[in-house]
């Protein structure tokens, strides 16, 4: 997943992550705008439409009740249109059980039948005298009050009653009466008429367009006229419209929607109580569908952006992985790039062309460096070899003068082996084992001159075969021991060559029991070695280095002898091979009576030039 690390506020985020975050922010803005649009343009208008429909339904129920009450008003007017009813109404307290009372009741029922007809949407019609006592009923349905006196005592507070209109009288929760006075054109009251309303007709009127809602009808005194659910109609505390309005919609404490509408004709207020889930069902459905749609679009867009970003950045990731694998000898970064991604394809081709040109330049530079290093190494080795040959021939000549033929023969054999070692493939590196064997040949040559006065020890191990180094590295240090270390030291003279391997390093130590180095010699030799390192680091081009080596090498490396050409040239050759992974030191030790020691430590990892 990680492509190119970019620091963000102390953390790390990949290029693909930043790409996804940038488009995710844009996607969130688009989705948020879509959500706001759905809420403002769809959900809110739909909720307002639903609430308006509830208010209209409540008004519609009120209109249906008004029509039903208006029908009873027309019925009462048809009954009162008969002039005979005024003559039949008693003026006193005549008993209805008399012959005259029974005949009067029969005639009154005939008048009512003519006005009502064979079909009726009421329970019954009852006529009362001036004192409110029952005279007769149309069919004698149960529930007709025997006296209207309680109602008449309160009827004065009804404005419509004072104006010779009608009034609605509720005797019990299931008994509602339409009451009006029986009076003539002169306004003389002869009695009262009470039409008992049918609950079924109230239910039909209240059921208009109220699916899933409870309907409650209250009169002006907040007494229940009708309730579709008796239990729902018991608690009237929630049926208090806010602000004293005559119609509207509000939420009660239970979260239910209550629509109300007050009739100006009857004074009744119709309430429709609808659970919130029913009212907001369509709204919630639209909201749910919208949220699912938004979520689906978000997930789809996120997945699309993720895979698009991944495919888009895949060539960059491959190119990065290839670049991480680039080293000094391998610069192949060919990346299979989709042909449709033209920009990345051109970038990859351009970068590949750059690396190809760079690879060619590096190969040329490596070849030039190798040739220059080989020439320099050859020059340094050529400076060392004459010393060795000169010293050896001098020793052979001394042995010949003394008539030591066997010694001369043995020395010539060792010299032959040494010369073969020196001249065979002089530019190739050798193993540490070969160097130790050559040092053994050289010491064997010297033994015939010093006899028992010279002793030496050389470590040997098969593991030394894996250590590579230039030719003639050990022999110059041994030669310096012979020439300079034992001038004033007492015999026997000892030379020890020790090699140790540990922690990926190899350490070579050559020590003797001679006079040791003086401080000035150590300072000068180490100073010359540091000067050559500094000079090499400050040079920017190979031609100058080559000129310095092939020219006045003595000005760079010092003079021959102890602290001169032998040590400095040998260390320089090692530095050419191991570069900055080489440590050289020379010091005086106190073991076995004291003496000088030279130490070389280098890495086991090969890195030739």
């Amino acid at each position: 997943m990680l492509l190119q690390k970019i620091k963000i506020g102390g953390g790390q985020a990949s290029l693909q992550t930043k790409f996804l975050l940038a488009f995710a922010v844009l996607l969130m803005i688009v989705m948020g705008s879509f959500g706001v649009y759905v809420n403002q343009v769809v959900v809110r208008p739909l909720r307002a439409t639903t609430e308006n429909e509830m208010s209209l339904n409540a008004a519609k129920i009120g209109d249906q009740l008004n029509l039903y009450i208006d029908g009873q008003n027309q019925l009462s007017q048809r009954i009162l249109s008969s002039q005979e009813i005024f003559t039949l109404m008693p003026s006193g307290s005549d008993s209805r059980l008399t012959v005259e009372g029974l005949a009067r009741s029969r005639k009154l029922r005939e008048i009512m039948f003519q006005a009502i007809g064979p079909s009726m949407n009421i329970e019954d019609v009852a006529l009362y005298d001036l004192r409110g006592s029952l005279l007769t009923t149309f069919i004698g349905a149960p529930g007709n009050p025997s006296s209207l006196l309680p109602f008449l005592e309160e009827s004065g507070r009804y404005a419509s009653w004072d104006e010779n209109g009608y009034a609605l009288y509720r005797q019990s929760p299931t008994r509602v009466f339409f009451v009006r006075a029986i009076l003539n054109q002169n306004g003389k009251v002869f009695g009262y008429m009470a039409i008992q309303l049918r609950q079924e007709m109230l239910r039909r009127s209240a059921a208009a367009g109220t699916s899933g809602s409870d309907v409650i009808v209250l009169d002006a005194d907040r007494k229940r006229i009708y309730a579709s659910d008796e239990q729902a109609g018991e608690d009237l505390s929630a049926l208090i419209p806010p602000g004293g309005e005559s119609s509207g919609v509000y939420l009660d404490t239970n979260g239910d929607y209550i629509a109300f509408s007050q009739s100006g004709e009857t004074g009744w207020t119709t309430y429709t109580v609808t659970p919130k889930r029913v009212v907001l069902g369509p709204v919630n459905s639209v909201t749910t569908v919208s949220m699912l749609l938004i979520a689906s679009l978000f997930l789809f867009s996120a997945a699309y952006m993720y895979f698009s970003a991944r495919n888009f950045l895949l060539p960059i990731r491959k190119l990065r992985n290839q670049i991480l694998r680039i080293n000094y000898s391998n610069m192949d970064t060919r990346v299979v790039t989709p042909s449709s991604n033209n920009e990345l394809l051109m970038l990859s081709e351009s970068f590949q062309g750059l690396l190809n040109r760079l690879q060619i330049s590096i190969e040329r530079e490596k070849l030039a460096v190798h040739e220059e290093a080989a020439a320099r190494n050859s020059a340094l080795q050529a400076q060392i070899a004459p010393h060795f040959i000169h010293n050896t021939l001098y020793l052979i000549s001394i042995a010949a003068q003394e008539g030591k033929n066997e010694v001369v023969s043995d020395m010539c054999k060792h010299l032959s082996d040494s010369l073969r070692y020196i001249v065979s493939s002089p530019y190739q590196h050798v193993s540490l084992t070969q160097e130790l064997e050559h040092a053994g040949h050289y010491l064997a040559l010297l033994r015939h001159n010093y006899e028992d006065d010279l002793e030496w020890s050389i470590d040997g191990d098969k593991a030394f075969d894996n250590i590579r180094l230039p030719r003639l590295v050990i022999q110059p240090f041994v030669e310096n021991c012979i020439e300079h270390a034992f001038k004033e030291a007492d015999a026997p003279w000892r030379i020890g060559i020790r090699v140790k391997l540990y922690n990926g390093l190899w350490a070579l130590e050559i020590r003797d029991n001679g006079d040791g180095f003086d401080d000035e010699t150590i300072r000068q030799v180490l100073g010359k070695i540091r000067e050559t390192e500094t000079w090499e680091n400050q040079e920017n081009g190979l031609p100058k280095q080559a000129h310095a080596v092939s020219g006045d090498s003595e000005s760079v490396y010092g003079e021959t002898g102890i602290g001169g050409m032998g040590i400095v040239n040998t260390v320089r050759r090692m530095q050419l091979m191991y570069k900055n992974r080489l440590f050289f030191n020379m010091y005086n030790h106190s073991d076995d009576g004291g003496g000088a020691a030279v130490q070389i430590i280098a890495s086991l990892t090969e890195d030739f030039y």
Side-chain angles (χ1 to χ4, degrees), residues 2 11 16 47 56 58 86 102 105 154 156 171 179 225 236 279 309 321 344 350 359 381 397 404 421 426 464 482 530:
L2 296 179
Q16 180 174 345
R47 183 183 290 110
L56 292 177
F86 299 107
L102 294 174
S105 298
E154 298 179 0
Q171 184 184 26
V179 182
I225 299 296
L236 304 179
V279 176
N321 293 334
L344 292 178
S350 300
Q359 180 70 42
Q381 185 170 327
S397 66
K404 300 179 180 178
Y421 175 75
F464 300 162
I482 299 298
R530 284 194 294 269

Side-chain angles (χ1 to χ4, degrees), residues 233-245:
E234 292 179 357
D235 185 10
L236 304 179
S237 60
L239 304 180
I240 302 177
E245 299 177 356

Side-chain angles (χ1 to χ4, degrees), residues 336-383:
V336 179
T337 308
S339 59
S340 59
N341 203 340
N342 295 328
E343 289 77 7
L344 292 178
L345 180 62
M346 290 187 291
L347 174 63
S348 177
E349 291 177 350
S350 300
F351 188 74
Q352 185 64 50
L354 173 64
L355 291 180
N356 290 337
R357 294 191 298 271
L358 183 61
Q359 180 70 42
I360 294 174
S361 300
I362 290 177
E363 291 296 336
R364 291 175 178 174
E365 182 181 357
K366 288 170 62 177
L367 180 60
V369 170
H370 180 76
E371 292 176 351
E372 173 63 23
R376 186 185 302 176
N377 191 23
S378 178
L380 294 174
Q381 185 170 327
Q383 293 175 347

Side-chain angles (χ1 to χ4, degrees), residues 537-579:
N537 293 333
Q538 291 176 349
E539 290 298 319
N540 296 323
L542 291 173
K544 291 183 179 180
Q545 295 177 5
H547 174 74
V549 174
S550 60
D552 188 10
S553 61
E554 195 170 275
S555 64
V556 177
Y557 297 110
E559 299 177 353
T560 60
I562 186 70
M565 188 66 69
I567 294 178
V568 176
N569 278 359
T570 302
V571 174
R572 182 61 186 143
R573 292 167 63 214
M574 293 290 291
Q575 289 175 338
L576 286 173
M577 177 176 176
Y578 282 91
K579 297 182 180 179

Side-chain angles (χ1 to χ4, degrees), residues 179-190:
V179 182
R180 71 178 304 162
I182 302 175
L183 45 79
N184 59 14
Q185 295 178 351
N186 297 324
K188 181 180 179 181
V189 179
F190 292 88

